């Protein structure tokens, strides 16, 4: 196994007097600075270049919640963490090997995420007395105050060197300093032996109409690269060899883009028009934005005035014969609750995407959480069962968006797909599938030649009603928010009929289980502990699983993506292990749901509600503690 950057390795490298190249299995880099320092772009460019040279990677953008937090304050720090590897990586990394701090606030906010002995590159020009005080430092020595003596600190005057690199340009000082993030990127490119050509080509293409901006970014990138090569502070470069990948066409993709693509692919496979009615809300807005880019595929995307209008326009589109979609986050899902019930009672195909964030209320708009599960399962008035799915990784969002649309169209039911800010904004390599390799989708259309069409007559297999587009002669019908008579669809207040319709709508959702796969167990198939997660906890649980099994522990893992209905073999999976621990980024919503379904079984739980994903380290520690007990 190749070594990771460690304190001993850094000391060894820095003690040697000659230049060398060190091979690494993987490395974690965290770019951090003020919200205007371009850290998201810097991290994205590093990730894309790493992908182009063949590394596997996972990213974690960390946005400030305030749009314009005071400059230089901890509240305004923006971060981007990327984990690149020679072998498959599943998380953006628990702690970083390299931390880039563009100002004191960035160091203050992110110092705890640096591994012992990590390389910390500091933009020394920003470490003024004023900026140190603004970031909350009590002294003028942040290294001593933060106890960073055991770290490899590199002080780089990035501002001044950026100005020097662009002194002959026609840009003003403010514009020149906007390029300083490229200086930091150049340093990292040299450290990790990344080529600059891909980034240079990108700038030349993006800024073709403003060549001065392209040139400024390129010159600053090269200046950072040359600085790292010549200053002598770095006695080594680090190389992460390419990973083995399946042949195919790849691109870097985040969860929101993948979700939009999955919906578009489903519409194409179903030979149906896609309509998305949505209201912008963090962190779901990019789904709507991405769908607007796909108008050439016949997709209609409408930005509406509020969340209620978003779902109502989507329901209207479904009534008219399109695949209706609406996207939102937690507070928006609450506002959509009444209309969600309308979709349930009319039994129309509808996909609701909820990119979860920290709550309640406005809560933590830019931070991740899994706290909307019970709202997705039960957050409607009356008996309103819905199919609920959960995506597990950024690229996985493509397949579960596709599957959500397939279930909605074939079972005539609204479907909620849960993602969250962690995978919605995070990115990883995505192998673009061929359209013909995706499953076929067969919308549950009514027969236009049916001379006795009834709107609530049901398919004996799926219990789905048949979908009649308005305007087809002989298929005239009524649907709406009032309870309908079974089969005929006439308005009905008959008590016995209401009981029948409630049960039939629930049975229709239950029968979706016939079209979903059995729950898979990773790792040991029987043993001492089963780690259970759902949605975006997959990467951290899988990393922990590999660590625990290397330690000789008998541990398995079950990651749930089908929440309602649960897979057929769910109970059998739980019974194979002595202890079952449910991990989730909330206070125990999935474990409460499992207890309601399997009250005779015992479940342990480990929760986290900090607006952050798990770390693999804390999962390993908790499992070991439970095994000792």
């Amino acid at each position: 196994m190749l070594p990771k950057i460690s304190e001993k390795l850094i000391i060894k490298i820095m003690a040697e007097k000659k230049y060398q190249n060190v091979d690494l299995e993987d490395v974690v880099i965290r770019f951090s600075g003020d919200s205007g320092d371009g850290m998201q772009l810097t991290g994205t460019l590093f990730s894309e270049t790493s992908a182009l040279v063949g590394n596997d990677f996972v990213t974690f953008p960390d946005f400030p919640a305030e749009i314009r937090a005071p400059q230089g304050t901890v509240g305004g720090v923006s971060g981007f963490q990327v984990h690149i590897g020679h072998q498959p990586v599943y998380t953006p990394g628990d702690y970083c090997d390299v931390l880039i701090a563009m100002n004191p606030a960035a160091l203050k906010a992110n110092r705890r995420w640096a591994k012992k002995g990590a390389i910390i590159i500091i933009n020394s020009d920003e470490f003024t007395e004023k900026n140190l005080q603004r970031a909350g430092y009590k002294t003028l020595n942040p290294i001593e105050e933060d106890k960073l003596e055991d770290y490899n600190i590199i002080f780089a005057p990035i501002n001044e060197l950026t100005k020097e690199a662009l002194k002959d340009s026609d840009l003003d000082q403010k514009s020149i300093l906007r390029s300083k993030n490229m200086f930091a990127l150049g340093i990292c490119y040299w450290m990790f032996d990344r080529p600059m050509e891909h980034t240079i080509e990108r700038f030349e293409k993006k800024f073709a109409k403003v060549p001065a901006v392209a040139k400024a970014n390129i010159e600053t990138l090269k200046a950072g690269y040359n600085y790292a090569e010549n200053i002598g502070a770095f006695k080594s470069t680090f190389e992460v060899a390419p990973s083995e990948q399946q042949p195919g066409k790849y691109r870097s993709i985040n969860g929101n883009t993948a979700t939009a693509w999955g919906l578009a692919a489903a519409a194409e496979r179903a030979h149906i028009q896609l309509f998305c009615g949505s209201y912008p809300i963090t962190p779901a807005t990019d789904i709507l934005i991405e769908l607007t880019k796909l108008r050439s595929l016949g997709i209609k995307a409408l930005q509406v005035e509020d969340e209620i209008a978003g779902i109502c326009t989507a329901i209207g589109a479904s009534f008219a014969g399109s695949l209706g979609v609406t996207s939102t986050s937690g507070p928006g899902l609450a506002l959509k609750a009444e209309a969600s019930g309308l979709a349930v009672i009319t039994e129309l195909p509808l996909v609701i995407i909820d990119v979860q964030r920290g709550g309640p209320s406005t809560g933590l708009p830019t931070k991740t959480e899994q706290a909307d599960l019970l709202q997705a399962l039960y957050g409607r008035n009356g008996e309103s069962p819905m199919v609920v799915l959960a995506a597990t990784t950024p690229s996985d969002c493509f397949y579960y968006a596709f599957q959500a649309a397939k279930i909605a169209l074939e079972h005539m039911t609204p479907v909620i797909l849960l993602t969250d800010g962690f995978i919605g904004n995070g990115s990883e390599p995505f192998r673009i599938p061929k359209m013909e390799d995706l499953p076929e989708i067969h919308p549950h259309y009514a027969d236009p030649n049916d001379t006795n069409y009834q709107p609530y007559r049901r398919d004996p297999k799926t219990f789905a009603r048949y979908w009649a587009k308005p305007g087809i002669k002989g298929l005239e019908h009524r649907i709406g928010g009032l309870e309908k008579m079974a089969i005929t669809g006439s308005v009905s207040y008959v008590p016995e009929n209401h009981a029948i319709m409630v049960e039939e709508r629930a049975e229709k959702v239950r029968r979706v289980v016939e079209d979903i796969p059995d729950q898979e167990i990773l790792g040991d198939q029987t043993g001492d502990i089963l780690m259970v997660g759902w949605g975006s906890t997959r990467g951290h649980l899988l990393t922990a699983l590999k660590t625990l099994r290397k330690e000789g522990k008998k541990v398995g893992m079950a990651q749930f993506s089908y929440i309602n209905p649960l897979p057929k073999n769910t109970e059998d999976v739980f019974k194979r292990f002595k202890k079952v621990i449910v991990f989730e980024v909330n206070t125990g919503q999935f474990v409460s749901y499992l207890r309601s379904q399997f009250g005779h079984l015992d479940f342990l739980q480990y929760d986290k509600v900090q607006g952050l994903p798990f770390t693999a380290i804390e999962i390993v520690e908790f499992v070991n503690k439970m095994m000792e007990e």
Side-chain angles (χ1 to χ4, degrees):
M1 180 169 296
L2 296 172
K4 294 185 177 183
I5 292 180
S6 65
E7 181 181 12
K8 290 181 179 179
L9 178 60
I10 292 295
I11 291 172
K12 177 178 179 292
I13 292 167
M14 298 304 293
E16 293 187 0
K17 302 301 182 183
K18 63 180 181 178
Y19 173 87
Q20 65 170 325
N21 187 60
V22 178
D23 292 328
L24 301 172
E25 182 179 328
D26 66 330
V27 70
V28 179
I29 305 168
R30 190 174 184 94
F31 300 90
S32 62
D34 205 71
S35 56
D37 285 342
M39 294 296 97
Q40 304 303 321
L41 174 61
T42 308
T44 299
L45 291 173
F46 188 89
S47 305
E48 291 178 351
T49 298
S50 297
L52 287 167
V53 300
N55 294 133
D56 195 18
F57 73 92
V58 176
T59 72
F60 176 44
D62 188 12
F63 303 100
E66 297 181 45
I67 296 174
R68 289 192 178 276
Q71 190 172 14
T73 62
V74 171
V77 172
S78 178
F80 190 104
Q81 185 160 304
V82 56
H83 184 186
I84 61 173
H86 166 61
Q87 301 293 337
V89 295
Y90 306 106
T91 76
D94 290 353
Y95 299 94
C96 63
D97 301 292
V98 178
L99 171 64
I100 290 86
M102 298 297 283
N103 63 11
L107 181 64
K108 189 78 171 178
N110 292 286
R111 170 259 177 274
R112 63 178 178 142
W113 300 114
K115 293 177 184 176
K116 190 72 173 291
I119 297 173
I120 301 179
I121 300 171
I122 286 175
N123 178 12
S124 56
D125 289 333
E126 291 289 340
F127 278 66
T128 63
E129 181 177 356
K130 179 181 178 181
N131 287 346
L132 287 164
Q133 291 175 349
R134 187 175 292 173
Y137 283 103
K138 297 177 182 178
T139 69
L140 298 182
N141 190 341
I143 306 304
E144 185 177 285
E145 190 171 329
D146 280 342
K147 298 180 173 58
L148 300 177
E149 293 84 357
D150 292 331
Y151 293 77
N152 184 23
I153 310 296
I154 307 295
F155 291 97
I158 292 177
N159 289 11
E160 288 304 314
L161 291 172
T162 299
K163 293 177 185 177
E164 177 65 23
L166 301 179
K167 64 182 180 181
D168 295 326
S169 73
D170 295 328
L171 299 176
D172 58 66
Q173 289 297 301
K174 186 175 181 181
S175 297
I176 285 173
L177 283 176
R178 284 178 183 158
S179 300
K180 64 184 178 183
N181 58 329
M182 291 302 103
F183 194 96
L185 181 62
I187 292 175
C188 291
Y189 276 2
W190 182 86
M191 285 178 63
F192 295 99
D193 197 20
R194 310 282 96 171
M196 291 187 285
E197 289 77 14
H198 307 299
T199 303
I200 291 171
E201 289 175 9
R202 173 169 173 159
F203 285 142
E204 289 174 340
K205 183 177 180 180
K206 182 176 182 179
F207 299 112
K209 296 182 179 179
V210 278
V213 174
K215 184 178 180 181
N217 282 287
I218 293 168
E219 291 302 316
T220 310
L221 178 71
K222 292 178 178 178
Y225 189 96
N226 294 332
Y227 171 79
E229 186 173 28
N230 295 321
I231 61 169
F234 302 100
K235 299 298 182 183
S236 175
T237 59
F238 306 98
E239 184 173 348
V240 181
S243 59
E244 294 183 7
Q245 296 177 332
Q246 282 184 283
K249 188 174 184 179
Y250 287 81
R251 65 154 284 168
S252 170
I253 201 167
N254 64 38
N256 284 336
T257 298
T259 299
W261 284 22
L263 295 170
E268 184 170 334
R269 286 300 272 167
H271 306 287
I272 195 171
Q273 185 178 69
L274 173 67
F275 173 89
C276 177
S278 290
Y279 179 74
I281 182 172
T282 302
T285 304
D286 284 344
I287 297 174
L288 175 62
I289 292 172
E290 191 64 29
L291 286 173
T292 63
K293 299 176 183 177
L294 304 178
R295 290 174 182 167
S296 62
L297 301 179
I299 292 170
K300 294 187 182 296
L302 178 66
Q303 178 179 322
V304 294
E305 66 270 23
D306 57 36
E307 296 285 0
I308 299 171
I311 188 171
C312 287
T313 55
I315 292 171
S318 291
F319 173 72
S322 297
L323 169 58
V325 171
T326 188
S327 56
T328 190
S329 189
L333 187 63
L335 290 168
K336 294 180 189 293
E338 182 181 0
S340 298
L342 176 62
V344 170
I345 200 168
T346 56
E347 300 187 48
L348 287 166
L350 177 73
V351 178
I352 303 170
I353 313 292
D354 177 20
V355 188
Q356 301 167 94
R357 70 190 205 190
S361 186
T362 307
L364 305 173
T366 62
K367 307 302 179 183
T368 196
E369 203 162 87
Q370 290 184 297
D372 294 347
L373 178 60
L374 293 183
Q375 182 180 200
L377 287 167
Y378 307 118
R380 294 163 294 281
N381 65 297
E383 299 292 338
S384 301
M386 270 194 193
V387 177
V388 179
L389 309 181
T392 62
T393 68
S395 60
D396 195 41
C397 289
F398 175 91
Y399 295 101
Y400 280 99
F402 185 96
Q403 183 69 354
K406 179 175 170 66
I407 291 172
L409 290 167
E410 295 183 344
H411 292 265
M412 291 295 288
T413 181
V415 177
I416 294 179
L417 172 62
L418 297 172
T419 70
D420 57 43
F422 174 55
I423 58 174
N425 291 322
S427 60
E428 64 181 1
F430 174 58
R431 183 171 177 264
I432 301 173
K434 295 180 180 179
M435 190 61 64
E436 59 269 23
D437 292 338
L438 296 173
E440 293 184 357
I441 298 177
H442 304 285
H444 205 251
Y445 291 128
D447 183 354
N449 298 315
D450 185 356
T451 57
N452 188 31
Y453 171 72
Q454 300 287 356
Y456 286 96
R457 187 170 63 223
R458 299 185 180 278
D459 183 311
K461 179 183 177 182
T462 64
F463 246 46
R465 76 175 189 87
Y466 293 89
W467 190 15
K469 295 182 182 181
I472 300 177
K473 186 175 175 61
L475 300 186
E476 297 88 351
H477 63 286
R478 290 176 295 179
I479 60 173
L482 291 174
E483 184 62 282
K484 298 298 187 290
M485 196 71 189
I487 302 177
T488 67
S490 301
V491 174
S492 172
Y493 296 99
V494 176
E496 292 79 6
N497 176 74
H498 177 58
I500 290 170
M501 292 297 279
V502 165
E503 174 56 29
E504 288 186 348
R505 288 189 287 263
E507 179 64 19
K508 180 180 65 172
V509 171
R510 285 194 290 267
R511 292 194 185 189
V512 172
V513 76
E514 301 297 332
D515 289 341
I516 67 175
D518 281 350
Q519 180 59 46
E520 180 184 17
I521 302 175
L522 301 177
D524 290 296
Q525 299 300 296
T526 61
D528 296 318
I529 284 183
L530 177 69
M531 300 189 300
V532 173
W534 66 275
S536 66
T537 57
R538 180 183 185 275
H540 295 93
L541 287 173
L542 186 55
T543 303
L545 176 72
K546 291 180 178 296
T547 300
L548 289 161
R549 296 188 74 216
K550 283 180 182 177
E551 294 174 356
K553 310 292 170 53
K554 294 284 287 181
V555 180
M557 171 186 161
Q559 191 72 17
F560 283 82
S561 287
Y562 293 93
I563 309 296
N564 188 37
L566 290 163
K568 283 182 180 179
N569 67 328
T570 298
E571 184 172 356
D572 175 63
V573 166
F574 294 149
K575 286 182 175 180
R576 295 185 187 186
F577 294 82
K578 296 176 183 177
K579 291 182 179 181
V580 179
I581 308 173
V582 181
F583 295 84
E584 49 188 324
V585 186
N586 57 47
T587 57
Q589 296 189 17
F590 188 53
V591 75
S592 297
Y593 174 60
L594 293 177
R595 286 167 180 155
S596 73
Q597 303 293 308
F598 309 103
H600 56 292
L601 299 179
D602 186 31
F603 297 95
L604 302 173
Q605 66 187 88
Y606 186 71
D607 313 324
K608 184 173 183 177
V609 281
Q610 299 176 8
L612 296 168
F614 283 112
T615 64
I617 290 173
E618 61 192 349
I619 293 171
V620 169
E621 289 176 349
F622 185 80
V623 171
N624 280 327
K625 179 182 177 183
M626 291 298 100
M627 295 191 83
E628 290 171 4
E629 292 180 359

